[in-house]
Amino acid sequence: MQLLGIDTCGATGSVALCRYVEEAGQLPSAESLQVLEEAELPGKSYSALLLLTVREMLERAGLRLSDLSALVVVNGPGSFTGVRVGVSAAKGLAESTGLPVIAVSRLAVLAAKGGKGVVCAAIDAGRGEFYAGFYGDGGPDREALVGRVEILAQVGEGIQFVVCEASAAESLALLKPLVVDAPTAAEAVRCAWPRMAERDFDDVVRLDGNYLRRSDAEIFAKAKPAPV
């Protein structure tokens, strides 16, 4: 079972070709994931390098897109341009091949690096705000765009707080965050395994970015003058 992971949400992105292995007749598990190859994509070059990297990676592995079982794409939150590039590429590949797609949140992938239990993951969203996600508390996962004061108030005792950026770690140092490496495409594939096992795929037509806030264009757009 081969899967392709795409993550273009951060300052750098990555593409990963992975395989889940069946052992002794048992069904694959998240622990059986093998990363066949993973490539980093420099920031601001996603649109130029993403599909080329995918093609070259498949060629080196002797595979075609039709040999894959599914695509996994990180659909945000993060860079608006990066999110759009990754989601558009996944949709285009899926529509041209019929491959199913699983979209995963970058916050969820980051939270998975914090271990088990109740975890809050946060990503610097700029302007003194943070993308924050809460997981493992017995209720539905919660994600929102919050200010520093809000996140300081919401992360209480018993919650593992995880960040992957020096800016977030410094701003939220009072929470004693666990600082980890930024999420990768391979980690997104591993995070998507429960849905893959249940064949819980996204509707490609309705698939969109997980932005959690309006784009800069919307925020700073000037109001059109009223007709005279």
Side-chain angles (χ1 to χ4, degrees):
M1 182 185 296
Q2 285 95 209
L3 297 95
L4 180 72
I6 297 172
D7 180 2
T8 57
C9 298
T12 59
S14 58
V15 177
L17 182 60
C18 303
R19 177 173 61 196
Y20 282 105
V21 181
E22 295 185 26
E23 296 181 359
Q26 296 181 347
L27 291 175
S29 65
E31 289 70 32
S32 71
L33 179 70
Q34 293 181 351
V35 180
L36 301 179
E37 184 178 352
E38 186 167 25
E40 184 175 288
L41 301 174
K44 299 182 180 180
S45 66
Y46 298 143
S47 58
L49 296 179
L50 177 54
L51 293 180
L52 174 63
T53 302
V54 169
R55 185 175 74 243
E56 292 177 343
M57 189 174 289
L58 289 171
E59 288 177 350
R60 284 192 291 271
L63 297 172
R64 297 173 296 180
L65 277 171
S66 58
D67 295 321
L68 300 177
S69 298
L71 304 171
V72 175
V73 61
V74 181
N75 68 331
S79 158
F80 285 104
T81 300
V83 170
R84 284 195 297 268
V85 169
V87 170
S88 296
K91 286 168 68 79
L93 292 173
E95 290 170 351
S96 64
T97 61
L99 284 172
V101 177
I102 296 175
V104 298
S105 165
R106 190 167 188 245
L107 285 168
V109 181
L110 177 58
K113 296 162 76 74
K116 297 181 179 180
V118 183
V119 180
C120 174
I123 297 171
D124 193 342
R127 305 191 191 99
E129 295 179 310
F130 299 88
Y131 302 119
F134 290 82
Y135 312 89
D137 59 2
D141 297 339
R142 295 176 290 124
E143 296 184 352
L145 178 69
V146 297
R148 181 177 181 273
V149 173
E150 293 174 90
I151 199 167
L152 288 174
Q154 292 181 35
V155 179
E157 187 176 350
I159 298 178
Q160 174 69 70
F161 184 58
V162 186
V163 300
C164 62
E165 302 154 314
S167 58
E170 180 179 355
S171 179
L172 301 169
L174 288 174
L175 298 177
K176 298 180 180 178
L178 171 65
V179 184
V180 300
D181 292 334
T184 67
E187 290 168 339
V189 173
R190 181 177 288 107
C191 190
W193 172 250
R195 290 185 55 192
M196 184 67 198
E198 296 293 330
R199 302 190 65 79
D200 177 20
F201 302 118
D202 285 282
D203 182 336
V204 175
V205 175
R206 300 177 61 184
L207 178 60
D208 198 1
N210 176 23
Y211 298 108
L212 293 187
R213 77 174 180 190
R214 295 174 298 159
S215 67
D216 286 348
E218 292 175 297
I219 293 172
F220 296 111
K222 294 181 179 179
K224 294 182 179 180
V228 178

